[in-house]
Amino acid sequence: MLFSSLTFLFIFLPLLLVIYFLAKDKYKNYILLAVSLLFYSWGEPKYIVLMLLSITVNYVLALLLDKKRKYDKLFLIISLIFNIGMLFSFKYLNFFITNINNIAHLNISLFKLTLPIGISFYTFQILSYVVDVYKKEVKVQKNIFNLGTYIAFFPQLIAGPIVRYQTIEEELKTRTHSIEKVSDGLRRFVLGLAKKVIIANNVALIADTIFDSPNVSEYGTLVIILGMLAYTFQIYFDFSGYSDMAIGLGKIFGFTFNENFNYPYVADSVTDFWRRWHISLSSWFRDYVYIPLGGNRVSKLKWIRNILVVWMLTGFWHGASWNFILWGLFYGILLLIEKLLLSKILNKLPKVIRWIYTFIIVNIGWLIFRLESLDTLKVVFKNLFTTGSKGFYNFISSNYDLVNYLPFMVLALIFSFPIYKIINDKLKDSTIYLFIKDIIIIILFVLCVAFLINNSYNPFIYFRF
Amino acid sequence: MEKVRNIIFITTFSLVLCLGFGSLFTSQKKISESENRDLYQFKHPTIGHFLKGTYQSNLEHAIEDQILLSESIKQNMNKYLSFSNIFLHKGFLCKNNYLKLGQKDTNIYYNFNCDKRMVYGYITNDDNNEKKLISIIDSYSKLNELVDTYYYYVPTSETINFRDGSTTWDIYSELTKNLKGNYKIDKLKYNGYDEYKELFYATDHHWNNRGSYKGYLDIVKLLKATGKVNEPVDEVTLDLYFNGSMARTIRKYDFQEKFRVYKFTEDNKPLLKLQNGYEYGQQEKYLNNQYEEGLILNHYARFYGPDLPELKFNTKRPELDNLLIISNSFSNAVNVLLATHFNKTFVVDLRTYENFNPKEYIEKNNIDKVLVLMDDSFVTCGQFVIDWGNK
C-alpha cells in the first residue's frame, strides 16, 4: 500500500488512528505490529512470510548473541549471512547470473523472483540492530512483538528513512502522545503528500515520456535536459515527500525519526549534497561500512579504497544494475576529487558558481541513475553535449500534452529552495501566520485527494529499492 | 492558543477524513450518466482475491468512483489542468501565417468505461448547441449552391447512449432535414456498443483503422469516385503502447491499447506523399517497425498524419476531378486513401483559418467536388462555420 493511495488515506489511516488512540498503552505496539503486517501484505501478500521469518530469525540470533557472548561473532556472522543472503537472493542473484552468462557464454537460467517491497530498507534496519547488539551499543530486545514493531513499522517499512534501532529503542518501550505531536505529524504528512502527489507525480510524466521512450537515444540536448531536470525534481519530491510522510506518521504515533533530507538542491558541493540527500543511508554506510573499514584513519591509498568501496556499495544498494554501480563510483570519484583537489578552489568561488557546479553534477548523476542500459546511457551522454536543439520542436509537437506538466516544473524549482523553511522560521511566532498555514495545509490535503481521484499516474521510485 | 490551533487543525483534518470515509458507506452509485459507464463497486473481500491483489485494486478504484463529489472533481480537474489547450489556442504550435487557432468552444470532457474503453460525455441539442448546428447548416447550404457538395457524418459516442442505444441528439436527421441546395449525404452506420467498439479506439476519440476504412468505402460510393478502391492485404497489430487522446486528457496513463493498422500492396496503396514531396504520416515507417514510442505519444497523428491547415495531394491525372475536403482530424485517416481517386485533393482544417474564402479557393484550385467530413465535435465547433460575409 502507498501512503499516496485513497485506500490508505480514507480507510487505513482513519481506522488505525481510532483504534490506536482508543487502545491502552500496553496494547499500542501490538496494534502497530498487526497493522504494519497488514499494510505490508496489502501490496505483497506472499512476502509476509519472508517478513515474519526475518523477524523471528533475527530475534533468536540477537538473543543468542547476547546470551552466549563467547560465540557472539559466530551468531553475528550467521545473522549477516542470513540477512545479506536474503537480500542477495531476491535482489542480486539474477544480476550475477546474467553477468556470468555473458562473460562465460553460459546459459544458466534466471530465477523468477519479484523483489519484496522495501527489502533493502528493512534489511539495513535489521543489520543495524544486530550489529549494535553485538557492539553492545543497544540492549537486546527480549519482546519479539517490540522487535517486530521496529522492523515492520509501516511508516518507514517500504521506503525508509532507515531508522536505527537505537533511535527508537526507548520509544518502543515508553513514548508520549500529545495533541501537539499528532497535529505536527499530520501537517508534516500532508506536506509530504503534496510533494509526492502534486509535484512528483506530474513532473514524472515528463521524465518518463522522455526516458522510457525507446527512441531516447535520438533526442537532442534540449530534450535530454528537459528530461534530466524533470527526473531531478521527480526523484527529490517523490522520495523526500515519502520521507516527510513517514516522519509525520511516526510523530503521530509517538516516534521521532531523524531527518532524511535537508534541501539537497541548494548544496554547493558534492560533499554538501551528500550531507543533505538520503541522510539515513549515507550515515548507515558511514557507521557500518566506512568506519569499520578504517574510515580516514588509514593510509591515503586505503582511504581512497574505503571511499570507493562505500560508494560502489551505495550505488549497488539502489539496484542490481551496472548503471547504479557507475552512479555510486561517479560520486565516489567526485568526492575524492573534491577532498583532494577541488575543495580549496571551490571555497574561493562565489556561492552561486559552486551551486551551479553542484546542480549540474547532480543532474548528470541522475541521468546515470535513470538510464539502466549502459549503451543507451553512452549515446544519451554524447547527445547531451553535441546535438543542441535538434528535434526539440518535433518532440514537443508530438508530445504537446507535456505542456500540461510544465507548470509543475516551476513549482518544483521554487520548492527545491528552502522558501517554506525561511518563511516558517521568520513567522513562527505569528498566530495569524500559523492559522493561515493550517488553512493552506488543509487545502493542500483536499487538492491531493482531488489529484488522486483524478490521476492514475502514481509511480513511486524508491518502492523498488 | 497553540493548543486551540492544534485542536482546530486536527478536527478539520478529521472532518475531511470522515467525509471521505463516511461517503464510502452511503448507497453506492452504479452508473455515471455523464461518463456513460458502470462505476466500480465495493466488494466483499475474499482470500483468493486478496492474494491475487484484485481486491486491493478494486477497492482503490471503488473509492475513486464512490467518494463524495468524485465526478465533479474529475471534471473540474481536467478542465483546469489542461494547460496545453491554452497554448494550442494561442497558436503556440502553429507556424504558418494563416494559422491562429481560435477559442475552442466545444464543451467536451472525456471519460472511460470499466471495460477500459473510454467514451465521450454526452452532448445534447440544448439551445447553445442547436444554435451552432443551425449556423453550420446555414453556412454550408450556401456552399451547396456553389459546387457539388457531399457530406459524410461520423456519429461518435458523444451522441449515443450505449445503455439503451438511444441517440442523445440526432444530428444526422437535422442535417438531412435542414441542409438546402444540391448535396448528397451519408453517414457511418453501426448498431450498438459492440459494433462501435469495432470501429473506434478504446482510448482515443477517433475512428480506428476499421472505422476509417469503412468510412472511406462509403465516401467513395457517395462521391461516385472513379478508380480502383485501395484494398488492404493485411491487418497488422503493432506492438506499441497507445495512450489515446481521451486517456491522455484525463491522465489515465494505465489505459492503453494495441495499435491496429492496415497494410496495402505496393501497386494498390494510398497516396502517402503530398504534392510538395513530403510524406504525410509515417505509415511505411510504422509498418517497418520504425516508430517512436512514448507514454503520451499521439500515434494516430503520427501514423496517419497530423492536423495541418492545408494539405495538397496530386496524382497528376488531369482526367480526374479535383476534390476539396473540409474536415478536422477525422479526415487524417482517409485523406491518403481518397487522394488516389482524384487528380488534385485539397484538405483544409477551418479551425486554423481566421478567414477562409471558399469561393476563391474553389475557383483558384478548380475544385469539382467538396467533401465535408464531420463528426459530432465538428458541428458544435463554431470554427467550422463558414463566414461568408461579403465573399
Side-chain angles (χ1 to χ4, degrees):
Chain A
M1 193 187 304
L2 284 176
F3 297 154
S4 53
S5 69
L6 295 166
T7 310
F8 178 82
L9 293 175
F10 289 112
I11 297 182
F12 191 90
L13 185 61
L15 286 178
L16 171 60
L17 288 173
V18 170
I19 296 167
Y20 183 84
F21 285 105
L22 284 179
K24 285 182 181 167
D25 281 356
K26 62 179 177 180
Y27 299 122
K28 285 192 185 334
N29 280 357
Y30 298 112
I31 292 168
L32 285 183
L33 176 61
V35 294
S36 294
L37 293 175
L38 174 70
F39 179 88
Y40 189 72
S41 63
W42 199 260
E44 293 276 358
K46 58 184 174 192
Y47 283 139
I48 194 73
V49 181
L50 203 69
M51 166 70 70
L52 292 172
L53 183 72
S54 248
I55 293 171
T56 314
V57 168
N58 285 288
Y59 169 74
V60 172
L61 285 173
L63 275 183
L64 287 170
L65 188 155
D66 187 58
K67 224 174 193 178
K68 305 207 181 281
R69 279 286 165 188
K70 237 173 140 182
Y71 304 105
D72 58 359
K73 209 166 210 164
L74 174 71
F75 291 119
L76 175 71
I77 291 168
I78 294 172
S79 169
L80 291 178
I81 291 172
F82 174 78
N83 291 306
I84 297 173
M86 289 267 250
L87 186 63
F88 179 85
S89 312
F90 284 98
K91 192 167 176 176
Y92 300 107
L93 186 58
N94 281 340
F95 171 75
F96 281 97
I97 293 175
T98 310
N99 281 290
I100 290 167
N101 281 345
N102 289 343
I103 295 164
H105 303 290
L106 296 172
N107 197 17
I108 307 168
S109 34
L110 300 178
F111 290 89
K112 284 182 182 166
L113 291 170
T114 49
L115 189 68
I117 295 169
I119 189 167
S120 307
F121 286 98
Y122 73 71
T123 302
F124 270 37
Q125 297 203 159
I126 294 170
L127 286 176
S128 79
Y129 165 67
V130 179
V131 171
D132 287 353
V133 171
Y134 169 77
K135 284 158 71 181
K136 296 181 184 167
E137 284 178 8
V138 294
K139 283 181 194 161
V140 72
Q141 177 54 260
K142 287 179 180 155
N143 183 332
I144 192 169
F145 295 104
N146 281 356
L147 183 70
T149 308
Y150 160 65
I151 294 171
F153 190 33
F154 76 91
Q156 36 77 15
L157 174 62
I158 56 173
I162 300 165
V163 178
R164 310 265 186 98
Y165 180 73
Q166 53 189 304
T167 312
I168 58 166
E169 187 183 9
E170 279 309 307
E171 289 168 341
L172 275 171
K173 275 188 266 169
T174 48
R175 56 185 180 273
T176 54
H177 301 89
S178 67
I179 286 174
E180 192 191 355
K181 275 187 179 179
V182 173
S183 57
D184 281 351
L186 285 175
R187 288 185 190 103
R188 185 73 186 264
F189 176 80
V190 174
L191 291 175
L193 186 70
K195 275 167 132 180
K196 160 86 184 105
V197 174
I198 300 177
I199 298 180
N201 283 3
N202 285 300
V203 295
L205 278 155
I206 301 176
D208 291 352
T209 301
I210 293 169
F211 293 128
D212 287 344
S213 165
N215 303 81
V216 62
S217 33
E218 284 162 28
Y219 293 145
T221 309
L222 280 181
V223 180
I224 298 169
I225 287 177
L226 178 68
M228 205 162 68
L229 279 173
Y231 189 67
T232 295
F233 290 134
Q234 180 200 354
I235 196 163
Y236 170 57
F237 283 94
D238 194 288
F239 191 23
S240 76
Y242 206 90
S243 286
D244 286 338
M245 289 188 266
I247 291 167
L249 286 168
K251 200 161 192 179
I252 294 170
F253 299 109
F255 291 92
T256 313
F257 298 160
N258 293 330
E259 290 297 331
N260 209 20
F261 290 89
N262 182 21
Y263 296 99
Y265 294 156
V266 301
D268 57 6
S269 68
V270 174
T271 314
D272 188 26
F273 173 76
W274 277 103
R275 278 189 210 115
R276 295 163 176 273
W277 179 274
H278 204 169
I279 299 163
S280 63
L281 180 73
S282 26
S283 63
W284 194 97
F285 271 108
R286 183 195 61 212
D287 295 346
Y288 295 99
V289 183
Y290 180 67
I291 291 173
L293 281 174
N296 56 3
R297 293 178 182 177
V298 285
S299 67
K300 206 165 208 173
L301 265 179
K302 278 190 175 170
W303 170 69
I304 292 171
R305 178 208 65 187
N306 292 349
I307 295 261
L308 291 177
V309 166
V310 164
W311 284 96
M312 193 192 75
L313 289 176
T314 303
F316 205 36
W317 178 87
H318 284 84
S321 172
W322 282 107
N323 71 307
F324 291 116
I325 296 175
L326 192 65
W327 175 76
L329 287 173
F330 167 77
Y331 274 112
I333 291 165
L334 276 167
L335 286 165
L336 283 173
I337 292 172
E338 269 194 10
K339 283 180 203 298
L340 293 171
L341 305 165
L342 220 57
S343 60
K344 282 177 191 163
I345 305 168
L346 278 175
N347 288 339
K348 286 176 189 162
L349 293 172
K351 195 173 164 60
V352 69
I353 305 285
R354 280 183 279 153
W355 175 78
I356 292 170
Y357 146 79
T358 313
F359 194 65
I360 291 171
I361 295 281
V362 168
N363 271 272
I364 290 171
W366 291 135
L367 194 63
I368 302 170
F369 192 91
R370 180 65 176 75
L371 294 168
E372 289 193 22
S373 151
L374 290 187
D375 290 335
T376 312
L377 184 64
K378 222 159 61 184
V379 182
V380 170
F381 242 87
K382 195 179 143 220
N383 290 350
L384 175 64
F385 297 103
T386 55
T387 47
S389 63
K390 187 188 148 202
F392 185 70
Y393 180 80
N394 277 348
F395 172 80
I396 289 290
S397 53
S398 320
N399 295 280
Y400 60 75
D401 292 287
L402 279 189
V403 174
N404 288 338
Y405 309 102
L406 291 179
F408 297 100
M409 291 279 279
V410 181
L411 277 183
L413 179 68
I414 294 168
F415 288 106
S416 294
F417 293 96
I419 291 169
Y420 169 72
K421 191 174 179 288
I422 292 166
I423 296 173
N424 215 33
D425 289 349
K426 227 172 196 175
L427 300 171
K428 64 181 178 210
D429 297 326
S430 155
T431 314
I432 295 173
Y433 163 73
L434 293 173
F435 271 106
I436 292 171
K437 190 177 102 177
D438 279 358
I439 293 169
I440 292 171
I441 290 174
I442 292 290
I443 292 171
L444 274 179
F445 181 58
V446 174
L447 253 180
C448 288
V449 173
F451 268 95
L452 286 173
I453 289 173
N454 191 49
N455 195 347
S456 63
Y457 201 67
N458 198 357
F460 177 51
I461 297 176
Y462 267 71
F463 213 118
R464 64 193 167 110
F465 297 143
Chain B
M1 186 53 90
E2 185 63 15
K3 202 172 176 182
V4 174
R5 186 174 74 89
N6 287 336
I7 290 171
I8 292 174
F9 181 78
I10 293 173
T11 313
T12 322
F13 187 86
S14 308
L15 246 158
V16 180
L17 282 191
C18 288
L19 273 176
F21 187 69
S23 66
L24 309 180
F25 295 96
T26 54
S27 61
Q28 293 191 56
K29 290 170 277 178
K30 286 193 174 154
I31 291 167
S32 162
E33 279 300 332
S34 66
E35 294 181 43
N36 197 12
R37 72 177 173 97
D38 298 319
L39 296 171
Y40 283 91
Q41 308 278 303
F42 294 110
K43 288 179 183 162
H44 289 294
T46 63
I47 292 172
H49 285 149
F50 185 81
L51 289 176
K52 270 191 235 160
T54 48
Y55 172 75
Q56 292 90 317
S57 62
N58 181 75
L59 180 64
E60 183 72 14
H61 284 305
I63 301 172
E64 247 177 61
D65 277 354
Q66 301 292 341
I67 204 164
L68 202 70
L69 302 173
S70 163
E71 215 168 307
S72 57
I73 286 172
K74 284 178 195 166
Q75 288 169 15
N76 284 303
M77 291 289 283
N78 293 323
K79 190 173 161 188
Y80 293 112
L81 289 175
S82 288
F83 301 111
S84 60
N85 285 342
I86 300 166
F87 283 88
L88 279 174
H89 295 156
K90 295 285 178 202
F92 175 70
L93 297 168
C94 311
K95 276 182 162 173
N96 306 49
N97 54 6
Y98 42 65
L99 260 170
K100 195 173 180 188
L101 289 168
Q103 194 60 42
K104 194 177 178 185
D105 58 357
T106 47
N107 183 23
I108 299 164
Y109 48 84
Y110 309 87
N111 302 291
F112 58 96
N113 256 352
C114 289
D115 61 358
K116 298 261 176 184
R117 172 164 284 272
M118 308 171 83
V119 293
Y120 278 120
Y122 301 139
I123 52 169
T124 55
N125 55 340
D126 60 28
D127 288 350
N128 190 28
N129 283 336
E130 197 65 51
K131 263 187 210 163
K132 285 178 193 164
L133 181 58
I134 289 168
S135 307
I136 291 266
I137 289 173
D138 288 348
S139 73
Y140 282 83
S141 291
K142 284 185 187 164
L143 186 68
N144 299 345
E145 292 164 14
L146 208 69
V147 64
D148 288 345
T149 311
Y150 301 83
Y151 294 86
Y152 191 75
Y153 166 67
V154 184
T156 68
S157 57
E158 276 182 280
T159 51
I160 302 166
N161 180 347
F162 289 119
R163 284 177 201 293
D164 57 13
S166 65
T167 306
T168 60
W169 185 16
D170 193 350
I171 292 172
Y172 186 68
S173 294
E174 296 217 28
L175 287 168
T176 50
K177 260 188 240 162
N178 299 314
L179 273 169
K180 294 180 186 75
N182 193 17
Y183 71 92
K184 288 199 168 84
I185 187 165
D186 195 9
K187 72 167 183 175
L188 182 76
K189 297 168 200 81
Y190 53 87
N191 290 314
Y193 189 47
D194 287 337
E195 280 190 32
Y196 165 83
K197 287 204 279 192
E198 278 296 298
L199 305 176
F200 289 82
Y201 290 109
T203 63
D204 195 277
H205 66 286
H206 294 105
W207 46 7
N208 61 19
N209 63 320
R210 293 182 189 173
S212 57
Y213 190 75
K214 186 171 158 51
Y216 157 69
L217 295 178
D218 288 347
I219 294 168
V220 167
K221 271 188 202 160
L222 177 74
L223 294 169
K224 291 204 174 84
T226 48
K228 200 179 159 194
V229 165
N230 300 288
E231 276 180 24
V233 284
D234 197 8
E235 187 178 52
V236 182
T237 303
L238 299 170
D239 190 22
L240 53 78
Y241 180 114
F242 181 42
N243 194 232
S245 58
M246 290 188 272
R248 293 196 303 272
T249 306
I250 67 155
R251 299 155 169 238
K252 287 281 170 196
Y253 299 102
D254 52 345
F255 277 33
Q256 52 182 289
E257 60 185 308
K258 297 280 182 204
F259 197 67
R260 221 170 40 199
V261 297
Y262 281 133
K263 196 175 181 178
F264 296 86
T265 54
E266 196 53 38
D267 58 340
N268 186 24
K269 66 174 188 182
L271 184 61
L272 298 173
K273 278 197 174 151
L274 295 165
Q275 188 174 292
N276 58 15
Y278 287 113
E279 200 163 317
Y280 183 62
Q282 300 177 17
Q283 301 207 11
E284 287 184 337
K285 277 190 180 171
Y286 269 74
L287 287 164
N288 291 325
N289 290 323
Q290 296 168 332
Y291 45 78
E292 274 195 43
E293 271 199 82
L295 192 63
I296 56 173
L297 214 56
N298 185 351
H299 289 293
Y300 177 83
R302 292 176 79 84
F303 180 82
Y304 291 113
D307 294 356
L308 291 171
E310 186 186 46
L311 301 173
K312 289 179 188 173
F313 296 92
N314 193 346
T315 56
K316 293 179 183 160
R317 293 171 63 194
E319 73 276 14
L320 299 177
D321 287 339
N322 292 334
L323 174 72
L324 166 64
I325 302 173
I326 298 174
S327 186
N328 54 16
S329 55
F330 267 75
S331 82
N332 299 3
V334 292
N335 290 333
V336 292
L337 292 165
L338 289 170
T340 59
H341 297 269
F342 294 88
N343 174 34
K344 288 180 182 174
T345 302
F346 301 84
V347 186
V348 293
D349 185 339
L350 295 190
R351 288 174 300 178
T352 57
Y353 288 79
E354 278 189 324
N355 283 303
F356 177 71
N357 188 332
K359 198 175 171 198
E360 200 179 273
Y361 198 91
I362 287 164
E363 281 168 9
K364 187 180 146 200
N365 297 304
N366 296 318
I367 300 294
D368 302 296
K369 291 175 176 174
V370 174
L371 167 70
V372 183
L373 174 55
M374 48 171 66
D375 69 314
D376 292 322
S377 68
F378 184 105
V379 297
T380 52
C381 176
Q383 292 162 325
F384 286 106
V385 175
I386 300 172
D387 180 13
W388 288 92
N390 51 7
K391 289 164 196 168

